[in-house]
């Protein structure tokens, strides 16, 4: 299985487990994660959710071959179901990041309540280089967190950044040695076993009340442009170059 789930000591763990493909996410994997998050909302034994990858990589983003064989077309697409399920999760969500977190591997962190990154973590949002646009509300949230100038570096140029920078930018809580990230994140998640669950849920809801409508609108606008960009000549050239293992040529556009 490429997504492993387990509930242990009040924590639902969602583990991305496809290391042979650098934890690239397929439609089926998005659906499994979405279903797990929705189930967590209804399960009173779950007090927190933890998302983790493998010791060497969090996720390289979308599996491009799978993604292009059936690109998302509407809100029912698994990737959008996952987005809405993560935003709508009423339990605290803790992320533990080892290695690379590319594309949605970084943007999903914007919607977690706690993010802990390894000292070997490398984050990047290279959407433009693929002929695409930012997604998952990142066009709204990243400039607010980093400021316009740094956001331009990360979203327009796709410059990667470190775990230390993720903390500086407000994306992560702390940097830890690679071998300690998962256990530390789990200890944070387990702390919610000793807190009143309704108070936690209502507080999380209040913390997000002022931005939820704006965020959902941003995701919808991004999705419309993203879908159009998938069919653009620039994106086609970028993906062909990826499969052919060459540099894309955008000089004709």
């Amino acid at each position: 299985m490429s997504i492993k789930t387990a509930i242990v000591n009040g924590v639902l763990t969602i583990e991305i487990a496809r290391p042979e493909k650098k934890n690239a996410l397929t439609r089926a994997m998005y659906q499994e994660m979405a279903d797990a998050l929705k189930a967590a909302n209804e399960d009173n034994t779950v007090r927190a959710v933890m998302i983790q990858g493998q010791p060497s990589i969090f996720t390289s983003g979308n599996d491009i071959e799978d993604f292009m064989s059936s690109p998302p077309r509407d809100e029912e697409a698994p990737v959008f179901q996952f987005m809405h399920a993560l935003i709508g999760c009423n339990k605290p969500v803790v992320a533990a990041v080892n290695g690379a977190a590319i594309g949605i591997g970084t943007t999903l962190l914007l919607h977690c309540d706690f993010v802990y990154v390894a000292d070997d973590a490398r984050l990047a949002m290279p959407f433009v280089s693929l002929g695409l646009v930012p997604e998952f509300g990142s066009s709204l949230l990243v400039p607010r967190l980093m400021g316009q100038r740094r956001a331009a570096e990360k979203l327009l140029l796709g410059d990667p950044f470190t775990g230390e920078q993720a903390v500086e930018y407000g994306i992560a809580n702390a940097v830890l040695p690679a071998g300690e990230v998962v256990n530390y994140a789990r200890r944070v998640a387990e702390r919610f076993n000793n807190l009143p669950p309704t108070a936690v849920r209502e507080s999380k809801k209040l913390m997000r009340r002022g931005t939820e409508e704006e965020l959902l609108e941003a995701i919808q606008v991004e999705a419309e442009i993203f879908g159009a960009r998938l069919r653009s000549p620039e994106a086609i050239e970028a993906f062909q170059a990826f499969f052919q293992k060459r540099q894309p040529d955008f000089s004709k556009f």
Side-chain angles (χ1 to χ4, degrees), residues 20-42:
E20 72 281 4
K21 294 291 186 179
K22 298 184 179 179
N23 273 6
L25 298 167
T26 64
R27 288 167 291 162
M29 293 166 71
Y30 280 122
Q31 190 65 60
E32 288 181 62
M33 292 192 292
D35 292 343
L37 289 165
K38 292 174 187 175
N41 278 353
E42 308 302 323

Side-chain angles (χ1 to χ4, degrees), residues 17-245:
R18 199 186 179 210
E20 72 281 4
K21 294 291 186 179
K22 298 184 179 179
N23 273 6
L25 298 167
T26 64
R27 288 167 291 162
M29 293 166 71
Y30 280 122
Q31 190 65 60
E32 288 181 62
M33 292 192 292
D35 292 343
L37 289 165
K38 292 174 187 175
N41 278 353
E42 308 302 323
D43 189 340
N44 291 333
T45 69
V46 174
R47 297 303 181 93
V49 175
M50 186 168 125
I51 301 175
Q52 67 182 76
Q54 298 299 296
S56 61
I57 188 165
F58 186 63
T59 173
S60 58
N62 289 313
D63 182 308
I64 291 181
E65 189 170 0
D66 178 84
F67 194 67
M68 293 308 295
S69 69
S70 182
R73 301 188 183 280
D74 54 43
E75 294 292 307
E76 294 305 310
V79 63
F80 293 124
Q81 289 195 46
F82 167 69
M83 290 181 181
H84 287 287
L86 182 55
I87 291 171
C89 186
N90 60 27
K91 311 293 173 73
V93 180
V94 182
V97 181
N98 286 88
I102 308 301
I104 199 168
T106 291
T107 60
L108 76 83
L109 302 177
L110 302 171
H111 307 283
C112 296
D113 301 292
F114 302 85
V115 177
Y116 300 98
V117 294
D119 51 14
D120 66 351
R122 185 176 176 84
L123 300 86
M125 297 173 284
F127 303 112
V128 169
S129 65
L130 292 172
L132 304 174
V133 296
E135 39 82 309
F136 212 168
S138 56
S139 65
L140 173 70
L141 298 178
V142 172
R144 286 187 177 178
L145 286 170
M146 299 185 186
Q148 288 291 132
R149 306 299 173 265
R150 283 176 171 168
E153 291 177 345
K154 311 311 176 192
L155 292 175
L156 298 183
L157 293 176
D159 285 354
F161 53 103
T162 65
E164 288 85 356
Q165 288 173 310
V167 173
E168 178 189 349
Y169 301 152
I171 293 175
N173 293 77
V175 178
L176 298 158
E180 299 178 14
V181 174
V182 170
N183 288 337
Y184 187 92
R186 177 167 296 282
R187 289 195 296 272
V188 171
E190 289 177 349
R191 289 176 62 182
F192 288 98
N193 288 317
N194 299 317
L195 292 171
T198 304
V200 170
R201 289 195 301 271
E202 293 296 335
S203 296
K204 175 171 175 171
K205 185 176 179 181
L206 285 169
M207 289 169 66
R208 299 190 171 207
R209 180 174 58 89
T211 59
E212 184 175 4
E213 184 176 339
E214 191 177 19
L215 175 60
L216 292 174
E217 180 186 11
I219 290 174
Q220 181 178 355
V221 172
E222 288 171 346
E224 291 172 359
I225 299 173
F226 195 98
R229 294 300 308 161
L230 279 172
R231 300 183 292 275
S232 71
E234 291 175 349
I236 291 170
E237 165 61 16
F239 289 127
Q240 285 179 343
F242 175 84
F243 289 123
Q244 295 166 7
K245 298 184 175 173

